[in-house]
Amino acid sequence: MNQSTIPTEELKKTINVRYAEEANKSCCLSCGGALDKANIQVGECFVDLGSGKGMDVLKASRVVGSSGKVYGIDFTNEMIQVAESNRKKLKLENAKFIESSIDSIPLESATADVVISNCTINHAKDKTAVYKEIYRILKSGGRFIVSDVLADTKLPDEVTGNPEAWAGCYGGAIPKEEYFNSIRDAGFTEIEILEESKPYEKGGVIVISLTIRSFK
């Protein structure tokens, strides 16, 4: 668990402000190829944590077809509104967007065949709690594919204590071993690295981007 002392509500408010502003911009907010690596199949149930404007959900909707179901989970109301507007324009009836935090997902246990997330879990103070939710909603044999930002080494207190840094996708980044321990603590055993960037500078600190996969 990240040891930031930022009050949770203050952190959520700062992140929400950032993504509410991003909702009507055209920039890409991803840090890896989680969707491309998901190998989605017809008839599957697909969940995207931090679905933003819903583009990955809507792409997945067409792949799973009428026998499948796709959900987008995001805690920024403005993002949900844009995503739902996009869904209506495309008349995709098997897609649903839900306003929620990703550490308490309002879906029944053993619902999903595949869960993806792209550049979102770094925002969570308790990453184990998020991965426990992923484990809970996955069916037996289901998989997650997550792209996220990790710290190259432990970040200084002035960064982990800065809510703007968390909203900027690096203040909540933790080193790889700590991140993987959060996943293992949630119940996953094998973690496969599908993509790994070279270290790069973000907000004055060095981070990496990873895309990982595991099965329940």
Side-chain angles (χ1 to χ4, degrees), residues 165-186:
W166 283 69
C169 297
Y170 61 94
I174 57 178
K176 187 190 297 182
E177 189 58 34
E178 186 178 349
Y179 193 96
F180 281 19
N181 284 340
S182 296
I183 298 172
R184 295 187 186 101
D185 289 346

Side-chain angles (χ1 to χ4, degrees), residues 65-102:
S66 59
S67 60
K69 184 73 179 179
V70 296
Y71 295 94
I73 310 294
D74 203 290
F75 86 143
T76 300
N77 177 264
E78 288 82 354
M79 285 291 191
I80 292 291
Q81 291 184 30
V82 171
E84 180 60 14
S85 175
N86 290 333
R87 185 196 67 77
K88 289 180 178 177
K89 289 176 185 174
L90 296 172
K91 300 179 180 179
L92 295 171
E93 300 299 326
N94 64 343
K96 183 176 182 179
F97 293 97
I98 302 171
E99 184 177 341
S100 170
S101 65
I102 59 173

